[in-house]
Amino acid sequence: MIYIHIPFCRSFCTYCDFYSELACKGKDNENFDSFTGRILDEIDARRDEMEKTLGLNTLYIGGGTPSVLPLSLLKKIVGHLGYGPYEEFTVEVNPEDILEKGPEYASGLLDLGVNRISMGVQSLDDGVLRWMNRRHNAEGAEKAFRILRESGFDNISVDVIFGIGGLCNAVLADSIEKILKWKPEHISAYQLSIEEGSALAGLEASGRYTPAEDEHCREQYDLICSRLSEAGYSHYEISNWALPGREAVHNSAYWRRIPYAGLGPGAHSLKGMDTRSWNSEELSGWTSDEEHLSEEEIREERLMLGLRTSHGVDGKRIPESDWFISDSIIRDIILS
């Protein structure tokens, strides 16, 4: 399992606190080239480590906004890895990039070996999208999905956000109904959270944003759960639904604590069962640090991650004394 973080965005979403750098058209080629060279160096330096994670042969390119990076540079990175074809190869995209780059770009991703797309739609209400500082509108998102489908992608995941202060159930329900008409193979729905350092945190601090009440978030989550179940989607993880056989292979492995290698600034890795490492958040010269998990921390992670999924946790593998779950673990399960 390999994850690559592409730390570039054309604009920053109101709610986001992921590490990313602003990419301005006409001024970003030097940054793109420098970043790509650094990723190639990291691949070379961590080749032995990566080969230990290939029991599950998946590649996930996330961000940031990977679809901002020129296709030629994506090809250079994937070619340098040299591990394909992959069981599952996912690339995150934004609708506006698909619209701008067109069917040729989508076909280029297919030729690269990408067999799964994760598209950040978030809402199909133009007012909500403007508030989120998204660059696409509802019409553009639908057109982008159509381009991907007509280009040959038969495994597309769509992201949705709920639990926004002031977002009424009817607006959310309308977005869900429109997305269901597209018939994506996978849908992820995330409750909005206020992350330190995000623009949304600033809005709340200044009194310009009031978070949704817990009960309102629960109503919207129930709405999503019931409607997607009616439409034939399996609720296999707290925030994820899939048509039969279309569960995310790569992400499901995270929840089972399968080792993976994360490349790029801000990326995390799991080495073996007891060592977690992470890269610093800087565009050039990023460094790595790590921590060794105790047996108790590993058991807590296994519980927390397992309880996120419909498979749950195998009680026979966990001592009775470990079935006490702290408030912090429960909070992690609910909010993540």
Side-chain angles (χ1 to χ4, degrees), residues 208-234:
R208 290 177 291 166
Y209 175 74
T210 302
E213 298 286 342
D214 288 347
E215 179 61 21
H216 189 55
C217 294
R218 185 197 64 79
E219 289 177 358
Q220 296 196 344
Y221 186 67
D222 287 348
L223 182 159
I224 293 169
C225 291
S226 61
R227 187 63 192 96
L228 296 191
S229 176
E230 291 171 0
Y233 289 81
S234 171

Side-chain angles (χ1 to χ4, degrees), residues 12-200:
F12 298 141
C13 299
T14 303
Y15 50 81
C16 188
D17 74 329
F18 289 139
Y19 170 64
S20 187
E21 299 283 348
L22 192 63
C24 301
K25 290 183 179 180
K27 300 180 180 180
D28 47 25
N29 287 340
E30 184 176 344
N31 278 342
F32 287 165
D33 290 339
S34 175
F35 164 78
T36 301
R38 182 68 179 85
I39 282 285
L40 300 187
D41 289 343
E42 188 177 12
I43 290 171
D44 290 337
R46 299 178 62 186
R47 182 76 65 181
D48 289 344
E49 175 194 340
M50 285 190 294
E51 291 181 354
K52 295 177 182 178
T53 71
L54 291 176
L56 182 62
N57 192 24
T58 63
L59 173 60
Y60 193 110
I61 300 181
T65 312
S67 52
V68 166
L69 199 68
L71 186 60
S72 60
L73 296 183
L74 280 177
K75 288 181 178 179
K76 185 177 290 188
I77 293 169
V78 173
H80 200 72
L81 278 170
Y83 294 124
Y86 297 91
E87 176 183 354
E88 182 184 89
F89 180 176
T90 303
V91 171
E92 293 180 354
V93 304
N94 276 8
E96 61 274 10
D97 294 322
I98 300 301
L99 285 175
E100 177 185 331
K101 299 181 180 182
E104 296 80 9
Y105 176 77
S107 297
L109 291 176
L110 277 171
D111 292 342
L112 190 57
V114 179
N115 55 26
R116 184 175 182 270
I117 292 290
S118 177
M119 185 164 72
V121 172
Q122 316 311 0
S123 175
L124 288 179
D125 179 88
D126 286 344
V128 173
L129 290 171
R130 285 192 295 271
W131 177 82
M132 291 179 174
N133 200 34
R134 302 291 291 180
R135 291 186 293 127
H136 66 274
N137 58 21
E139 181 182 7
E142 182 176 2
K143 288 180 179 178
F145 186 92
R146 192 181 312 128
I147 287 172
L148 291 168
R149 187 66 93 203
E150 292 175 353
S151 296
F153 281 103
D154 63 359
N155 194 1
I156 304 175
S157 179
V158 170
D159 287 357
V160 178
I161 292 178
F162 69 97
I164 303 169
L167 174 64
C168 68
N169 292 351
V171 170
L172 175 65
D174 183 63
S175 288
I176 296 298
E177 292 304 321
K178 290 175 179 176
I179 287 171
L180 286 175
K181 289 180 181 179
W182 302 353
K183 299 182 180 179
E185 285 69 33
H186 189 280
I187 297 174
S188 298
Y190 302 105
Q191 181 176 323
L192 183 71
S193 58
I194 301 175
E195 305 295 341
E196 185 178 352
S198 67
L200 185 58

Side-chain angles (χ1 to χ4, degrees), residues 221-285:
Y221 186 67
D222 287 348
L223 182 159
I224 293 169
C225 291
S226 61
R227 187 63 192 96
L228 296 191
S229 176
E230 291 171 0
Y233 289 81
S234 171
H235 191 183
Y236 72 101
E237 195 270 343
I238 283 180
S239 301
N240 290 277
W241 291 256
L243 294 177
R246 295 298 189 149
E247 296 83 359
V249 176
H250 185 94
N251 289 351
S252 293
Y254 288 149
W255 304 318
R256 301 200 308 275
R257 296 193 81 254
I258 291 177
Y260 60 94
L263 308 176
H268 287 234
S269 304
L270 179 64
K271 304 175 183 179
M273 291 290 106
D274 65 351
T275 303
R276 191 173 301 285
S277 66
W278 57 92
N279 290 342
S280 58
E281 297 181 348
E282 49 194 328
L283 193 55
S284 62

